[in-house]
Amino acid sequence: ESDLALDNLAQKVQESLSLDQRHKFWETQPVGQFKDIGNPTLPEGPIEPPTPLSEVKQEPYNLPNLYEWVTCDIHDEQMCDEIYTLLANNYVEDDENMFRFNYSKEFLRWALQPPGYFTAWHIGVRVKTSKKMVAFITGIPARIRVRDEVVNMAEINFLCVHKKLRTKRLAPVMIKEVTRRVHLENIWQAAYTAGVILPTPVATCQYWHRSLNPKKLIDVGFSRLGARMTMSRTIKLYKLPESTVTPGFRKMEIHDVPAVTRLIRNYLSQFIVAPDFDENDVEHWLLPRENVVDSYLVESPETHEVTDFCSFYTLPSSILGNPNYSTLKAAYSFYNVSTATPLLQLMNDALIVAKQKDYDVFNALDVMQNESFLKELKFGPGDGKLHYYLYNYRVRHALKSSELGLVLL
Ligand SMILES: CNCCCN(C)c1ncc(F)c(N2CC(C(=O)NCc3cnc4ccccn34)C2)n1
């Protein structure tokens, strides 16, 4: 118990030390710099021009001696196992080290194999002798519109270094290596998020949580009993109907892809930054996959028109050191569109389905039009902020979270 606490303390000291090392690294990169914020003379758009492919570094960056690069074929069962285990033991935790994300193997295969993906962008670091996987970083291709320009980008995610190697300065060289491999595919921009501040957020979003199983959430320390509230009063407060209320509300199916694509393209056009989804993207990202992504739509019983859509992805968290529970079952709001059903009612149906499927909590960022339902559907503000970043693309002013139409996994 005590040496775990000591370990966490040592990690916090290390993290605070590495804050300025982090900024030193990012000041060498083509990203918006703090000193440039609000500078009207700097144009929006790419910061550096593309490099001729012949001039892109052809060979991988050097790792510290004991380690080697490994290109990870996530489709390979054993490789997928190794990546799953590295993340399950070493990926993002909350500030109090009570929870750690536990992305499932089927989720990772979904997240990393969208249309047009590159295996070369799934990069591992392993110990030369033991072949143990000790670090990971990924990119996937995405067409992201910024205002009225669609840009080919890489979405960077799952940067993870083993807890015992956090002082080895592996992250900067991993970021440079994935950037190099993205450049080799003639892509010069990227999008990524972090719970920490780096130069320079393009938007800062707030997490909100809607309790579905309040007793468990209080037992595991995710939430606290409200002042002047009893447990039975709290359970009653968050109670939901047994079944959804919207006529025509049903799971999305493969034949709905064209209609959902039209619906979501039209809806996302109102946001300053949003994915430019085509039918292949919609089929991959929004068709239901058990325990990975759930999506529902409203088909008008009269006209059979698809008028609304809602979706959430499944990202459980390991509960660290609790005797009674090992996993927090969390749903994360993904993309939602309402044109006929009030968004409030549509999202309440999403909560009802999530409760039916035994989720403990439904999380949502305050992006898109989510603010319009959060308070009324009894979401509470979380302690986590999520900062969005663009690489090699300047946005003159940070966006409001409601101007953001992009959800990363
Ligand atoms: C693109 N990649 C970002 C996704 C990673 N995501 C989901 C994330 N990034 C930073 C956060 F601040 C955050 N939060 C969800 C809120 C929350 O649920 N906080 C309690 C909690 C339960 N489990 C965990 C595990 C890790 C951290 C907090 N946890 C805060 N989520």
Side-chain angles (χ1 to χ4, degrees), residues 89-379:
N89 294 325
N90 300 279
Y91 199 46
V92 182
E93 294 176 11
D94 66 305
D95 290 345
E96 291 160 66
N97 307 105
M98 294 162 59
F99 309 104
R100 187 186 307 129
F101 290 127
N102 184 218
Y103 285 88
S104 69
K105 284 170 36 177
E106 63 266 24
F107 188 107
L108 292 167
R109 287 205 174 103
W110 171 65
L112 297 177
Q113 294 179 104
Y117 79 95
F118 302 97
T119 303
W121 294 7
H122 305 158
I123 306 171
V125 174
R126 65 179 174 202
V127 182
K128 277 177 184 159
T129 47
S130 65
K131 299 300 177 198
K132 185 175 174 351
M133 189 79 77
V134 292
F136 190 56
I137 188 167
T138 67
I140 54 168
R143 280 187 326 286
I144 307 281
R145 180 182 49 74
V146 183
R147 294 191 207 283
D148 51 16
E149 190 187 13
V150 176
V151 183
N152 283 313
M153 296 197 189
E155 284 178 8
I156 304 302
N157 207 344
F158 302 112
L159 169 56
C160 178
V161 173
H162 193 285
K163 281 170 178 272
K164 298 231 180 306
L165 301 181
R166 293 281 163 87
T167 60
K168 305 277 181 210
R169 312 280 301 135
L170 284 174
V173 68
M174 292 169 70
I175 293 167
K176 286 192 280 194
E177 180 60 13
V178 74
T179 304
R180 185 187 72 86
R181 296 189 189 191
V182 167
H183 285 165
L184 288 175
E185 299 296 343
N186 197 26
I187 290 178
W188 306 95
Q189 272 73 38
Y192 50 102
T193 62
V196 292
I197 300 248
L198 304 168
T200 299
V202 88
T204 292
C205 306
Q206 170 82 43
Y207 269 101
W208 290 71
H209 311 288
R210 208 288 183 181
S211 297
L212 299 175
N213 183 348
K215 179 168 179 347
K216 177 174 175 182
L217 294 181
I218 289 166
D219 286 354
V220 303
F222 182 94
S223 20
R224 283 182 299 283
L225 201 54
R228 294 184 303 285
M229 287 286 279
T230 62
M231 185 59 84
S232 64
R233 173 93 182 75
T234 303
I235 290 166
K236 202 181 303 183
L237 173 70
Y238 291 112
K239 189 140 185 56
L240 287 161
E242 298 289 304
S243 45
T244 57
V245 306
T246 306
F249 186 88
R250 64 169 172 81
K251 280 180 81 90
M252 177 185 178
E253 297 165 26
I254 183 98
H255 74 270
D256 299 307
V257 165
V260 169
T261 304
R262 282 191 295 276
L263 197 68
I264 197 158
R265 285 186 65 83
N266 186 42
Y267 181 76
L268 290 175
S269 64
Q270 69 187 292
F271 304 112
I272 294 178
V273 173
D276 180 60
F277 283 141
D278 65 16
E279 289 190 4
N280 288 332
D281 302 314
V282 167
E283 181 173 339
H284 178 82
W285 290 119
L286 300 175
L287 260 187
R289 292 180 186 220
E290 194 171 355
N291 280 327
V292 170
V293 57
D294 284 79
S295 55
Y296 296 85
L297 53 79
V298 177
E299 175 182 341
S300 156
E302 295 79 37
T303 68
H304 296 290
E305 190 198 352
V306 174
T307 55
D308 311 280
F309 176 84
C310 63
S311 59
F312 54 85
Y313 64 83
T314 297
L315 168 50
S317 287
S318 302
I319 302 173
L320 309 174
N322 183 290
N324 309 322
Y325 298 98
S326 61
T327 302
L328 179 74
K329 190 172 178 185
Y332 285 77
S333 177
F334 200 28
Y335 289 98
N336 309 300
V337 182
S338 96
T339 67
T341 307
L343 187 58
L344 198 73
Q345 180 183 320
L346 185 70
M347 292 311 294
N348 200 54
D349 275 347
L351 292 176
I352 291 164
V353 167
K355 177 64 181 172
Q356 286 171 350
K357 290 165 166 267
D358 208 22
Y359 285 84
D360 298 319
V361 64
F362 190 103
N363 293 330
L365 288 161
D366 58 358
V367 297
M368 295 182 269
Q369 296 175 315
N370 291 356
E371 263 177 288
S372 68
F373 62 75
L374 291 168
K375 287 193 180 107
E376 198 150 351
L377 292 186
K378 300 173 186 162
F379 284 75

Side-chain angles (χ1 to χ4, degrees), residues 76-93:
D76 174 86
E77 191 57 33
Q78 204 231 320
M79 178 62 80
C80 193
D81 256 340
E82 286 187 71
I83 292 161
Y84 165 78
T85 303
L86 173 72
L87 294 174
N89 294 325
N90 300 279
Y91 199 46
V92 182
E93 294 176 11

